[in-house]
Amino acid sequence: MTQKIPKTTILRFLPVEKAVLMYILVTGLFELFFFAKLPGVSAHLYARLIMVSVIVTLAAVNISYGDRNFLRGIRIFLPFLFLGYFYKETDYLNNLIFSRDMDPVISGWENLIFGFQPSLSFSEHFSSDLFAELMYMGYFSYYLISVGIPLYIYLKVSPRTGEKFSFIIISSFLIFYTVFIIFPVGGPQFYYIDWPQQVPEGYFFGHVMGIVKFYGEGVTAAFPSAHVSICLILVMASYLYAKNLLRIILPIAIALVFSTVYIRAHYVIDVVAGIILAPVLLRITSMIYDSDEPLSETTA
């Protein structure tokens, strides 16, 4: 039985919708400020208008039908679909403040600390396709668990907990995207593109990641590592809310962290920064969510 929430004439947004709307506003103003330097910027502004229209329309439906679990679930998880567009767009926006990528700085730090480039040496010393396939599988799993674990928590643990954790994940992504725009780092896979020793191709997941890189990657998003940081936040969430998932996610997380360096998506410094930021982002986004007043929850 579903508890019907009294109808309201006030248009109210969920915390996750507010986070997305804020990101759309800030980056939209950024695009308008650099309008003359951005080719085809009108399409990006129209895309924002469409996203805002969808969010507002779903929020407006509550005025007529009240807040229901099914509709609320759509509103909470729809923003995950926007993340792919926002991520790809960081490559479009990330050379407006700094005209060049900061890879020489990060790779210089790697040389200073280690005396060599770990991202290049790792795959040279572990050059089997089988090991590479394990690394590609770990890296690809990131795309599945980023949505899968919040969805599991929402459906199996508690809708309210799932809503909060979805907000934490999406807000963390948006914070990373903002950093990528301001401080552009492409990563070793782009900075050392002509390096003679290539990463082994692997098998199935190696092919899949080749497709993902071709269609979805840009020269962006290396520092700090969102892969590592978001993955650790997901591990923390599993420990807090779904311990039965730990036996699955821990091996994935270990493979994922190593894979970021192995496939040359990240420098080791990116990984360290991602590890440091994980608990910080979890704390900050949790506080932001708790300071808001979410809509009343329905019960099934």
Side-chain angles (χ1 to χ4, degrees):
M1 181 176 180
T2 300
Q3 177 185 349
K4 188 174 181 180
I5 303 300
K7 295 180 180 180
T8 177
T9 58
I10 302 175
L11 191 66
R12 302 181 66 184
F13 297 107
L14 298 174
V16 67
E17 293 171 327
K18 294 178 183 178
V20 173
L21 289 171
M22 179 62 69
Y23 182 84
I24 288 174
L25 174 62
V26 171
T27 53
L29 292 174
F30 188 76
E31 290 175 350
L32 288 173
F33 184 81
F34 289 101
F35 191 91
K37 294 184 177 181
L38 291 169
V41 68
S42 297
H44 293 262
L45 295 174
Y46 286 136
R48 278 161 171 70
L49 182 60
I50 292 172
M51 289 184 229
V52 170
S53 299
V54 171
I55 292 172
V56 171
T57 299
L58 289 174
V61 170
N62 281 338
I63 296 178
S64 299
Y65 296 100
D67 192 25
R68 301 173 185 274
N69 279 336
F70 178 73
L71 175 61
R72 191 184 188 91
I74 293 176
R75 295 176 64 188
I76 291 169
F77 287 94
L78 179 66
F80 280 98
L81 298 179
F82 299 161
L83 293 179
Y85 176 84
F86 290 146
Y87 170 77
K88 186 68 174 178
E89 191 184 52
T90 60
D91 188 26
Y92 174 72
L93 299 174
N94 69 352
N95 287 122
L96 295 172
I97 296 176
F98 291 100
S99 60
R100 296 181 179 180
D101 291 345
M102 296 292 105
D103 288 83
V105 175
I106 303 298
S107 63
W109 291 347
E110 297 268 281
N111 281 325
L112 184 63
I113 295 171
F114 302 106
F116 63 98
Q117 291 293 317
S119 60
L120 301 178
S121 299
F122 195 177
S123 58
E124 291 177 357
H125 285 83
F126 295 86
S127 57
S128 73
D129 284 318
L130 183 61
F131 186 83
E133 180 72 358
L134 175 63
M135 294 290 97
Y136 286 124
M137 181 176 65
Y139 196 85
F140 178 77
S141 65
Y142 169 79
Y143 304 110
L144 303 179
I145 64 177
S146 295
V147 181
I149 291 180
L151 184 61
Y152 177 89
I153 292 174
Y154 182 84
L155 295 175
K156 297 296 185 180
V157 179
S158 162
R160 177 63 66 215
T161 302
E163 178 179 336
K164 177 177 180 178
F165 195 65
S166 296
F167 171 84
I168 290 171
I169 293 298
I170 289 177
S171 296
S172 297
F173 270 118
L174 298 179
I175 291 171
F176 275 115
Y177 295 167
T178 303
V179 174
F180 299 155
I181 291 171
I182 296 172
F183 191 78
V185 180
Q189 62 183 331
F190 297 109
Y191 188 58
Y192 292 103
I193 193 170
D194 295 325
W195 192 260
Q197 182 68 37
Q198 298 300 309
V199 179
E201 294 183 358
Y203 303 108
F204 174 76
F205 283 102
H207 179 67
V208 170
M209 283 308 305
I211 296 174
V212 170
K213 180 179 178 180
F214 182 81
Y215 289 103
E217 282 289 353
V219 187
T220 184
F223 180 86
S225 173
H227 260 74
V228 170
S229 201
I230 296 295
C231 177
L232 293 181
I233 292 174
L234 291 168
V235 171
M236 295 178 209
S238 299
Y239 176 77
L240 292 173
Y241 307 119
K243 287 186 172 62
N244 56 312
L245 293 180
L246 283 176
R247 64 179 182 272
I248 299 174
I249 191 176
L250 275 178
I252 291 176
I254 293 171
L256 191 153
V257 170
F258 281 101
S259 73
T260 59
V261 178
Y262 183 85
I263 71 170
R264 302 179 185 174
H266 292 281
Y267 302 97
V268 171
I269 290 174
D270 304 337
V271 173
V272 173
I275 293 172
I276 293 172
L277 282 174
V280 176
L281 286 174
L282 179 61
R283 178 63 175 169
I284 291 174
T285 53
S286 295
M287 290 174 61
I288 293 173
Y289 181 89
D290 292 337
S291 68
D292 202 346
E293 185 179 351
L295 298 176
S296 301
E297 181 180 356
T298 59
T299 56

